């Protein structure tokens, strides 16, 4: 991924294929990252919106995800990372300065938990701007 990215670019956005973006989301995420040079990366958080007539299982998933909304939304800095939206510095991934690419290559449970773990271990700041809410139907 990082090796194929255009080296002129500064950021890589990892985004789930079912995430609906607001028209200015990418610009807003980059602006937030660049406005806070102490942050390593920017993430967002999902907000489940069940369709009318949704099944009980859908509502069970919603209840399961609700605690995540609290963790992500109470402040701009977080220790949580949502893999559905991760804006990461391209130069760091290319050089693997923090070992994220190596960790991803070793497999494991989850791309976002891997990034959160590396950030926690190395003291890297994770920014979660209040505008980075992504409805999921």
């Amino acid at each position: 991924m990082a090796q194929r990215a255009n080296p002129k670019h500064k950021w890589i956005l990892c985004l789930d294929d079912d995430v609906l973006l607001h028209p200015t989301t990418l610009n807003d995420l980059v602006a937030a990252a660049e406005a806070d040079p102490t942050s390593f990366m920017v993430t967002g958080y999902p907000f489940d919106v069940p369709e009318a007539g949704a099944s009980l299982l859908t509502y069970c998933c919603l209840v399961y995800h609700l605690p995540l909304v609290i963790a992500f939304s109470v402040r701009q800095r977080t220790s949580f990372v949502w893999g559905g939206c991760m804006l990461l510095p391209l130069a760091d991934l290319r050089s693997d300065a923090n070992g994220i690419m190596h960790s991803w290559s070793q497999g494991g449970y989850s791309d976002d938990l891997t990034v959160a773990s590396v950030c926690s271990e190395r003291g890297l700041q994770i920014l979660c701007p209040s505008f980075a809410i992504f409805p999921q139907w």
Side-chain angles (χ1 to χ4, degrees):
M1 160 180 77
Q3 301 308 328
R4 292 189 204 133
N6 185 329
K8 294 178 185 175
H9 295 157
K10 193 172 179 181
W11 303 98
I12 283 203
L13 178 64
C14 300
L15 191 69
D16 282 357
D17 63 355
D18 62 347
V19 172
L20 298 175
L21 298 179
H22 306 289
T24 63
T25 297
L26 185 54
N27 289 335
D28 294 341
L29 291 171
V30 169
E34 293 181 348
D36 184 354
T38 64
S39 66
F40 171 70
M41 66 166 294
V42 181
T43 191
Y45 59 96
F47 184 80
D48 294 330
V49 181
E51 293 182 13
S55 69
L56 177 61
L57 180 59
T58 299
Y59 281 95
C60 290
C61 289
L62 180 140
V63 170
Y64 176 76
H65 287 145
L66 277 177
L68 294 176
V69 172
I70 295 166
F72 279 114
S73 63
V74 294
R75 57 190 177 141
Q76 296 287 307
R77 296 214 180 265
T78 184
S79 57
F80 298 93
V81 174
W82 178 51
C85 176
M86 299 185 296
L87 183 73
L88 297 156
L90 176 57
D92 185 275
L93 295 180
R94 281 182 163 264
S95 67
D96 204 19
N98 287 294
I100 291 172
M101 296 301 290
H102 175 75
S103 294
W104 281 344
S105 73
Q106 299 304 303
Y109 171 69
S110 172
D111 58 343
D112 52 357
L113 292 180
T114 299
V115 172
S117 175
V118 167
C119 288
S120 176
E121 179 181 290
R122 298 188 178 233
L124 302 171
Q125 298 295 312
I126 303 165
L127 186 63
C128 185
S130 58
F131 65 81
I133 303 167
F134 300 97
Q136 292 194 124
W137 284 265

